[in-house]
Amino acid sequence: MLEIRNLCKHFGGIKAVDQCSFSVEQGSITALIGPNGAGKTTAFNCISRTMTPTTGEVWLDGERIDGLRPHKITGLGLSRTFQISRNLADMTVLENIICQSKISGWRDMFKPAMSADEIEKAMGILEFLGITRLAHEDGGNLSYGQKKLMDLAALLMSDPKIILLDEPAGGVNPTLLEEIIGHIRKLNEQGLTVLIVEHNMDLIMRLSHRVVVMAQGQVIADGTPDEVREDPAVLEAYLGGTMEAA
Amino acid sequence: MSDTETFDILEQRKAYNATLTQAADKTRATWFPVVVLLLLLAMPALQFVGNYNYLLHLLLFTLSYVVIASGWNILGGFAGYISLGHNVFFAVGGYFAGMMFARLGISTLILAPLAGLVAGLLGYLIGLITLRVRGPSFIISSLALVMIFRIFFENWEFVGGAAGVSLKANDLTVQWAKLPYYYGFLVMAAFTVWVSYRIKHSKFGLGLRAISKDEIKAESAGIDTRFYKVLAFAISAFFVGMAGAVWGEYLTYIRPNIFLTVLISVNMVLICILGGKGTIAGPVIGAILIVAFNEFFVATLGASEINILATGLIMMICLMFFPLGIVGTLAKHRKLPRFLDWD
Ligand SMILES: Nc1ncnc2c1ncn2[C@@H]1O[C@H](COP(=O)(O)OP(=O)(O)OP(=O)(O)O)[C@@H](O)[C@H]1O
Ligand SMILES: [Mg+2]
């Protein structure tokens, strides 16, 4: 469904992403892992066009998307979250979420900001995530974990086909972690394709169907969780054995 | 679904419904702007009982500031792009309508929408270039724009260069001479405020607010940020240009130094900041206050630089207590009187 071919992103001399190629199957949960600074976030940025890739191609459902502007990519059904939540302050959670609802053409621009349908849909999503009570809070006033949930909620508003999650459960407490895993699994069961970056190995091994491992900008392994776990190159990258420890 | 889960959802529903009733309680005081509008419409009747020309002039002046500040607010307040060069559109509107008036004799009151469109189109083109950068770079590019246009107008012989062109005054008696312009600005001010309201409550407005908070997030949320910004720039230029069109005929001349001065470009920014950037009532309150401060100090201190200094000083004091502008700060603390809540 999503295919990345020879993606490169250089910052001056740093090759943050270097000749990366991997693909994400329709309906799967694919994990992108790797040590800090491996280039995972940069790869996400290049796929969603938050950054311009230096070279390489990104294909979504047979369409080349690496030349498109970010809102077009979102319009095609690829949505992402940010590693550090980018909530819009001075806007309620509801507004934050409805911001993300699909707009087609300039006619839509002059419709009311939040139609009754959209509010109902957004409330449905909030209910699914169990945070209805936050609807009228200021998006900037949420706790760290609440922001992570709101990110997920906003993502769903645009009816994506594939979602890119950058550490959706990074730094949250174990209860919330379980909750978020549950949500991702449920969404995937409903047919949503997921590409997820996460440092929690336990979570990755339980959740994902495929694992892509990056280190120093390159893909060093790609396979099922079990295959990757045994891969010597991966163990090497994680400095011998932290995989077991995790 | 387990019982506890169902219970949770029910609890949340209840809590949410409670917030809804709270929101519904906050009904809009639409009557207030309507009453103000009616009063302003009736105001010239004072001329029957005495000479209130100066009062009408002050009101007209305030209304013209409402138009340009509310127009500026669409870009500066909603989208968060601070332009210090919006008087360029004031000048373009003024020159376009002024020259048409001088050559063809068509009243600028009729030409105003057309002049606005010309300014808006120019704004669209300029926006395509300058809106690529934000923050200080954008501010500086907007300042550069003023200099370019000032040099341009001062050297363009067709429009009279630095001396400008004088325009014919209307044939009305002194008592009624201001009236057409007064009503012109009143209609424009009401229209601008209404459009601002409609924009703020549209998807376009929501998108602009998102852009002002975090452009990268807005973009990845599916908002065509470039188009939104440029369109906001054009609409904003439209209103400023429209005001400029009538301003020239009111003063009976067009000249670079009545449009392209720092005072005007800074005033529209100050008005919005004082009243509340990004709010609907903010530019209106700000315009009233600026004109009132200015008048007060001119009356007490005389028409020298001291009154500008005093106006600046009192604005600083205001902003210390109302950092988000008067409307913005009161709204944040939920102390905004209902009749001022136009958002
Ligand atoms: N905007 C930037 N300018 C310069 N260098 C950058 C920029 N963004 C990332 N880098 C560099 O690119 C490399 C990869 O960073 P990236 O954020 O993609 O890593 P990551 O795999 O997401 O790490 P983490 O797990 O810590 O989030 C790092 O060496 C980083 O310093
Ligand atoms: Mg990262």
Side-chain angles (χ1 to χ4, degrees):
Chain A
M1 168 170 221
L2 180 70
E3 207 182 328
I4 285 92
R5 294 185 195 154
N6 301 324
L7 194 70
C8 293
K9 177 71 190 178
H10 301 173
F11 296 108
I14 305 171
K15 291 181 177 173
V17 176
D18 189 15
Q19 294 289 334
C20 242
S21 298
F22 61 89
S23 60
V24 179
E25 291 304 317
Q26 171 108 40
S28 72
I29 299 181
T30 304
L32 183 60
I33 63 170
N36 291 114
K40 306 176 297 288
T41 300
T42 308
F44 266 28
N45 285 340
C46 290
I47 295 169
S48 65
R49 209 47 164 67
T50 306
M51 283 176 183
T52 317
T54 310
T55 55
E57 299 173 8
V58 181
W59 294 74
L60 178 68
D61 282 335
E63 190 176 343
R64 195 171 163 180
I65 60 167
D66 51 276
L68 300 179
R69 305 221 341 260
H71 70 274
K72 290 264 185 215
I73 293 177
T74 308
L76 286 174
L78 185 149
S79 289
R80 55 105 31 119
T81 61
F82 291 88
Q83 182 166 357
I84 298 162
S85 301
R86 305 184 84 121
N87 296 37
L88 305 168
D90 296 330
M91 286 168 67
T92 64
V93 168
L94 206 56
E95 285 171 330
N96 262 277
I97 294 172
I98 290 180
C99 237
Q100 207 121 331
S101 91
K102 261 204 176 112
I103 293 183
S104 44
W106 60 272
R107 273 169 183 283
D108 272 8
M109 282 170 61
F110 294 97
K111 289 194 178 144
M114 305 199 279
S115 70
D117 283 351
E118 283 172 327
I119 293 179
E120 193 167 315
K121 183 173 166 193
M123 291 310 292
I125 295 171
L126 287 175
E127 202 163 294
F128 166 70
L129 298 176
I131 49 171
T132 331
R133 77 202 116 83
L134 294 180
H136 296 283
E137 286 288 326
D138 184 330
N141 288 349
L142 303 185
S143 76
Y144 185 83
Q146 290 170 332
K147 279 185 184 165
K148 289 278 176 199
L149 282 172
M150 201 200 81
D151 282 350
L152 207 54
L155 205 63
L156 297 177
M157 194 68 199
S158 62
D159 292 322
K161 292 186 287 194
I162 174 167
I163 55 178
L164 273 56
L165 306 172
D166 200 346
E167 304 197 17
V172 305
N173 69 50
T175 327
L176 184 55
L177 181 84
E178 286 304 318
E179 220 176 276
I180 292 177
I181 296 177
H183 294 322
I184 295 174
R185 192 169 278 143
K186 255 189 225 158
L187 290 170
N188 178 249
E189 278 161 11
Q190 289 165 13
L192 194 59
T193 310
V194 181
L195 176 61
I196 178 172
V197 167
E198 192 42 74
H199 282 295
N200 186 325
M201 283 309 147
D202 174 49
L203 182 159
I204 289 298
M205 295 302 161
R206 280 196 295 146
L207 192 63
S208 48
H209 308 121
R210 277 245 337 268
V211 179
V212 177
V213 189
M214 278 181 81
Q216 285 160 9
Q218 291 175 322
V219 175
I220 55 164
D222 185 347
T224 64
D226 287 328
E227 283 168 14
V228 165
R229 208 200 304 256
E230 305 300 323
D231 197 309
V234 177
L235 296 177
E236 168 82 21
Y238 276 88
L239 294 172
T242 41
M243 294 280 285
E244 271 79 18
Chain B
M1 198 180 275
S2 73
D3 276 358
T4 49
E5 229 175 294
T6 326
F7 180 72
D8 264 3
I9 289 179
L10 284 179
E11 272 298 289
Q12 292 193 0
R13 268 263 160 86
K14 237 183 260 166
Y16 172 63
N17 286 339
T19 56
L20 269 195
T21 33
Q22 260 174 20
D25 190 40
K26 230 180 83 207
T27 40
R28 208 168 294 288
T30 337
W31 62 268
F32 183 71
V34 173
V35 167
V36 172
L37 191 62
L38 290 176
L39 277 178
L40 287 172
L41 279 170
M43 202 59 93
L46 283 175
Q47 292 290 68
F48 285 116
V49 294
N51 183 356
Y52 289 92
N53 261 334
Y54 192 64
L55 176 68
L56 288 183
H57 166 75
L58 283 185
L59 288 174
L60 182 154
F61 194 47
T62 312
L63 288 170
S64 74
Y65 266 142
V66 170
V67 180
I68 44 183
S70 287
W72 182 91
N73 193 38
I74 291 169
L75 181 70
F78 295 173
Y81 277 79
I82 308 294
S83 162
L84 288 179
H86 254 48
N87 52 352
V88 163
F89 306 108
F90 196 51
V92 167
Y95 270 90
F96 176 81
M99 288 311 289
M100 296 271 275
F101 176 62
R103 301 258 152 174
L104 308 171
I106 309 169
S107 165
T108 58
L109 288 166
I110 295 163
L111 289 169
L114 193 60
L117 283 179
V118 170
L121 190 67
L122 181 72
Y124 191 89
L125 297 176
I126 291 175
L128 280 178
I129 302 163
T130 62
L131 287 169
R132 283 164 190 272
V133 292
R134 70 175 303 145
S137 317
F138 177 77
I139 300 180
I140 289 167
S141 76
S142 72
L143 279 173
L145 209 60
V146 183
M147 294 188 209
I148 294 169
F149 272 80
R150 176 125 197 192
I151 292 169
F152 174 67
F153 278 118
E154 279 180 353
N155 292 292
W156 192 14
E157 281 313 315
F158 178 69
V159 297
V165 175
S166 58
L167 303 174
K168 198 167 65 70
N170 63 26
D171 309 325
L172 299 168
T173 59
V174 177
Q175 194 183 9
W176 303 112
K178 289 191 193 317
L179 229 55
Y181 315 114
Y182 175 86
Y183 281 116
F185 276 115
L186 183 55
V187 169
M188 284 193 277
F191 180 62
T192 314
V193 171
W194 178 75
V195 170
S196 299
Y197 174 83
R198 293 307 300 258
I199 288 180
K200 185 151 188 192
H201 288 260
S202 68
K203 291 229 162 289
F204 178 46
L206 190 64
L208 290 180
R209 281 168 70 198
I211 288 170
S212 80
K213 297 298 169 207
D214 185 339
E215 207 159 327
I216 289 177
K217 168 79 184 191
E219 192 165 58
S220 97
I223 292 164
D224 187 349
T225 52
R226 194 194 299 165
F227 181 60
Y228 274 47
K229 289 188 292 186
V230 177
L231 188 62
F233 201 128
I235 294 175
S236 153
F238 170 83
F239 289 117
V240 178
M242 209 161 68
V246 180
W247 190 243
E249 190 182 336
Y250 176 62
L251 294 189
T252 68
Y253 58 90
I254 45 176
R255 193 180 291 162
N257 68 4
I258 62 167
F259 297 110
L260 293 165
T261 62
V262 180
L263 195 67
I264 291 177
S265 58
V266 167
N267 264 358
M268 56 182 121
V269 183
L270 287 183
I271 287 171
C272 290
I273 291 177
L274 183 64
K277 211 155 62 73
T279 65
I280 306 296
V284 181
I285 305 294
I288 295 171
L289 286 178
I290 283 242
V291 174
F293 287 159
N294 221 355
E295 275 316 299
F296 175 74
F297 289 121
V298 169
T300 52
L301 301 172
S304 64
E305 262 92 58
I306 300 178
N307 77 70
I308 298 181
L309 193 75
T311 309
L313 210 63
I314 194 145
M315 281 206 44
M316 272 171 57
I317 295 170
C318 279
L319 286 176
M320 272 167 64
F321 291 101
F322 299 96
L324 296 173
I326 294 184
V327 175
T329 310
L330 288 177
K332 181 149 191 166
H333 296 117
R334 298 185 194 285
K335 290 213 177 86
L336 188 66
R338 193 177 287 179
F339 69 89
L340 281 183
D341 187 9
W342 300 2
D343 283 282

